[in-house]
Amino acid sequence: MNFNLKEVFQPKFFRLFKKGHYDSKKFTSDLIAGLIVGIIALPLAIAFGIASGVTPQQGLITAIVAGFLISFLGGSHFLIGGPTGAFIVIVAGIVGQYGMQGLIIATIMAGVFLVIMGVCKMGAIFKFIPYPIVVGFTSGIALTIFSTQMKDFFGLPFDLQVPAGFIQQWGCYFQNIGSINWVEFAMSMTCLVICFAWSKVTKKVPGSLIALVVGTLASVLLSRFAGIDFATIGSKFPELAEGLPMPKPVAPQFDYATVKGLVSPAFTIAILCAIESLLAAMVADGATGKQHHSNTELIGQGVANIITPLFGGIPATGALARTMASIKNGGKSPVTGIVHAIVLLLIYLFLMPYAVYIPLSCLAAILVQVAYNMSEWKTFKYLLRGDKSDVAVLLITFFLTVVVDLTVAIEVGVVLAIVLFVRRVMQTSSISVLEGSSVAVSEDSEFASMEETERLNVPTGVEIYEIDGPFFFGLASRFEEFESKSDGTKVRVIRMRKVPFIDSTGVNNLRNLCERTRKRGVTVVLSGVTDKVRATLEKFGVDKEIGAENICPHIVPALERAAVLSADSK
């Protein structure tokens, strides 16, 4: 197989400056959009970092490093990268079980998986993942995020150890319901109202940023003048009061046992990253009329996830909300994402020491809004009206994500996607027995349905099967349902004019059919065999078993051959 790197890796940023496609006017638009998106990303990066079980600066570092690399190396004009809510559950689980070293290794492994997917041109495959599975994942993750924030949202005791499982979490919450801090709860509700209501004032500045500023100012003022203290980032991470350390490269310590244990979580991260980034890219394409390059995007995402953890970052992917904010604020190219990363870097260098005053209840409110936006409850409700198999897939992936584990849900979801795909393809192929004493001559389905098509008589003792669609493993076994029990059948004509290809399982089942019919004294004749299908049959030696003279390109010689065989058998 010839490998051409240019076919799979075509970063949009590198193509900007060819043939004068980029000018000062577009740069101004990108600069303004990047500034706005950087401000939007600030509270989210901090909140996602803390919710994932790491420090706020690690969330911000991820938004800076991965945000830059995804825009610089990605295959989309508009995709903004960084930490997202989808990773909170899986990252928190890895950190809890393997620590930060385990998270670094898992993220690097996920990046390698993504690069391999892109190099192998698997980008288009993710477009075929059934929508109910995607909605099941995202809705389940949203509910899980909502559940994990209830401790800070209700101001439960700071030292309360909340278990990891969804059911266990709510059991813990109900046991400690009498310990709710109503002042903290009031802060959470105020910030949550601001998050949702601010969009009615303006959509240029996100409500989450206003809630962050208002909540932080309220926390400082109430603590200083009223003696009311809130749980803050500084109380959770007291080391930040001494100032933020500059990120330093981290050397991961690989060992076989850890790598083996992290294969499944790393695969989950890679799948989540691919799904979320490519879906966001497709939405951006629909809003702008541009077109992304999916394989390049996977490679860019992979490189970003290989490099980011070396600076202490966490997994990153394309973020739909920030991408759409970029488009709505005039972003024209990947330069927007690069500017957004630079803005976050400046905030990290000069403003992050003030992050110690941010209340945890305020961040919990921001994440509750994120969970609501992720939940897609209207889409979830709409999909419940669909086909029973789609509803079953939706509910299975949703409940597995919430109750069991996201990794298990991803693995089961991939299997369900394959099963659904096979089932749908099977529905496009069929086998039927042609009834009556005549048959249409044309082997072209476009003309076979026309009334003026000439029809030929079917000789006595001849039975005709019609295969419509690919003759693959999902269809082959269905021959048994149609086999005639009639003792009068001497020749079975299998009409294959509508068979574009046949796979190895189809060939095996065809051979078994021929063997069974031969034992009953019935001969098989193939009709309308295309050159591609015939080449496959010859590769497996089926032409010799059936007899090359019994493989016909058209129904006319097939019926003539069947008449001779039927007469000889008398």
Side-chain angles (χ1 to χ4, degrees):
M1 181 178 67
N2 293 327
F3 173 71
N4 187 348
L5 182 61
K6 291 184 178 180
E7 290 182 4
V8 295
F9 192 55
Q10 304 173 21
K12 296 296 182 181
F13 180 81
F14 294 174
R15 303 166 66 89
L16 273 182
F17 308 103
K18 294 180 178 180
K19 301 179 181 179
H21 289 169
Y22 199 71
D23 53 30
S24 59
K25 185 177 180 180
K26 289 183 179 179
F27 175 73
T28 302
S29 296
D30 285 335
L31 186 64
I32 295 172
L35 177 63
I36 294 172
V37 175
I39 294 172
I40 291 173
L42 174 64
L44 297 176
I46 294 173
F48 290 149
I50 294 176
S52 298
V54 298
T55 61
Q57 70 263 33
Q58 285 177 280
L60 200 54
I61 287 170
T62 304
I64 295 168
V65 179
F68 175 85
L69 291 173
I70 288 172
S71 294
F72 186 65
L73 300 174
S76 170
H77 291 84
F78 305 99
L79 202 63
I80 304 296
T84 67
F87 291 121
I88 288 176
V89 180
I90 185 67
V91 170
I94 295 173
V95 171
Q97 186 173 356
Y98 295 95
M100 271 308 302
Q101 274 294 322
L103 179 61
I104 292 171
I105 294 171
T107 308
I108 292 174
M109 290 170 62
V112 173
F113 289 155
L114 286 164
V115 171
I116 292 173
M117 290 177 190
V119 171
C120 294
K121 302 180 182 180
M122 296 177 64
I125 293 177
F126 290 94
K127 298 177 184 178
F128 295 98
I129 294 180
Y131 194 47
I133 291 178
V134 177
V135 174
F137 287 151
T138 54
S139 297
I141 292 170
L143 183 57
T144 305
I145 293 172
F146 174 82
S147 178
T148 59
Q149 297 309 303
M150 290 301 98
K151 175 189 171 183
D152 292 334
F153 193 88
F154 286 104
L156 295 178
F158 190 76
D159 58 351
L160 177 65
Q161 296 297 318
V162 179
F166 178 82
I167 296 175
Q168 293 86 344
Q169 283 175 356
W170 284 95
C172 178
Y173 295 150
F174 283 118
Q175 287 175 3
N176 293 273
I177 197 168
S179 303
I180 292 177
N181 185 320
W182 295 102
V183 176
E184 296 269 12
F185 179 65
M187 172 70 82
S188 299
M189 288 302 300
T190 301
C191 292
L192 186 62
V193 169
I194 292 174
C195 285
F196 281 104
W198 186 257
S199 61
K200 299 183 182 298
V201 178
T202 178
K203 294 184 178 180
K204 293 291 185 181
V205 180
S208 58
L209 180 64
I210 302 301
L212 188 73
V213 173
V214 171
T216 303
L217 288 175
S219 172
V220 172
L221 294 175
L222 289 172
S223 175
R224 182 168 299 179
F225 297 107
I228 301 175
D229 292 325
F230 292 86
T232 64
I233 290 179
S235 59
K236 187 168 186 176
F237 303 98
E239 67 274 12
L240 297 183
E242 301 176 1
L244 284 176
M246 289 299 293
K248 297 180 180 179
V250 179
Q253 299 175 356
F254 291 91
D255 63 82
Y256 178 76
T258 303
V259 170
K260 182 180 177 181
L262 287 170
V263 168
S264 185
F267 180 72
T268 300
I269 293 173
I271 293 295
L272 274 176
C273 180
I275 292 174
E276 190 166 5
S277 61
L278 295 182
L279 283 177
M282 285 190 288
V283 173
D285 289 350
T288 61
K290 296 283 188 176
Q291 194 170 19
H292 75 282
H293 193 282
S294 56
N295 295 317
T296 300
E297 190 59 49
L298 289 178
I299 295 175
Q301 298 279 342
V303 173
N305 280 284
I306 290 172
I307 295 177
T308 301
L310 299 178
F311 292 90
I314 61 178
T317 185
L320 179 58
R322 277 158 272 175
T323 299
M324 294 309 295
S326 168
I327 294 171
K328 291 177 181 178
N329 286 282
K332 304 295 183 184
S333 74
V335 174
T336 301
I338 294 174
V339 171
H340 127 277
I342 295 173
V343 169
L344 289 173
L345 176 61
L346 295 176
I347 292 173
Y348 180 89
L349 294 175
F350 300 109
L351 298 179
M352 271 303 284
Y354 300 102
V356 294
Y357 301 109
I358 298 174
L360 297 179
S361 52
C362 176
L363 293 178
I366 292 173
L367 286 171
V368 167
Q369 183 198 31
V370 170
Y372 176 82
N373 292 335
M374 280 184 65
S375 67
E376 299 190 64
W377 65 270
K378 292 182 180 179
T379 304
F380 193 100
K381 182 179 177 181
Y382 174 77
L383 288 176
L384 290 175
R385 305 176 187 173
D387 181 78
K388 290 182 179 179
S389 62
D390 286 342
V391 173
V393 167
L394 173 69
L395 295 178
I396 288 172
T397 52
F398 174 76
F399 284 113
L400 282 176
T401 302
V402 174
V403 179
V404 183
D405 180 70
L406 180 59
T407 301
V408 174
I410 289 285
E411 292 169 348
V412 173
V414 170
V415 173
L416 287 175
I418 295 171
V419 171
L420 276 178
F421 178 76
V422 172
R423 180 174 177 268
R424 297 280 158 78
V425 173
M426 284 178 63
Q427 292 173 345
T428 66
S429 301
S430 63
I431 301 175
S432 58
V433 179
L434 299 182
E435 304 288 348
S437 58
S438 63
V439 63
V441 173
S442 176
E443 292 293 357
D444 189 335
S445 58
E446 180 182 352
F447 299 105
S449 61
M450 296 176 62
E451 293 181 0
E452 64 270 28
T453 300
E454 182 183 354
R455 304 185 73 84
L456 296 178
N457 291 328
V458 178
T460 303
V462 176
E463 182 182 57
I464 301 179
Y465 283 180
E466 176 95 42
I467 303 177
D468 188 353
F471 191 178
F472 72 124
F473 65 91
L475 175 72
S477 61
R478 293 170 60 184
F479 261 118
E480 298 176 7
E481 303 173 19
F482 295 93
E483 284 198 350
S484 173
K485 304 297 183 181
S486 172
D487 295 333
T489 300
K490 302 299 181 182
V491 180
R492 178 171 292 136
V493 176
I494 301 178
R495 204 172 187 194
M496 303 175 68
R497 56 180 178 154
K498 299 177 183 177
V499 177
F501 72 86
I502 182 171
D503 70 356
S504 58
T505 308
V507 171
N508 183 63
N509 279 267
L510 180 61
R511 294 173 64 184
N512 290 339
L513 172 69
C514 295
E515 183 63 28
R516 289 197 305 270
T517 55
R518 188 180 299 113
K519 291 179 180 179
R520 293 171 50 198
V522 178
T523 305
V524 171
V525 174
L526 305 183
S527 165
V529 180
T530 64
D531 293 339
K532 184 176 181 180
V533 172
R534 180 157 191 149
T536 303
L537 295 178
E538 291 175 350
K539 185 184 298 183
F540 285 92
V542 178
D543 57 324
K544 297 177 181 177
E545 296 179 19
I546 296 179
E549 67 279 5
N550 291 333
I551 302 178
C552 306
H554 195 275
I555 190 62
V556 174
L559 288 178
E560 291 175 353
R561 177 63 182 165
V564 172
L565 292 171
S566 179
D568 291 344
S569 64
K570 292 180 181 179

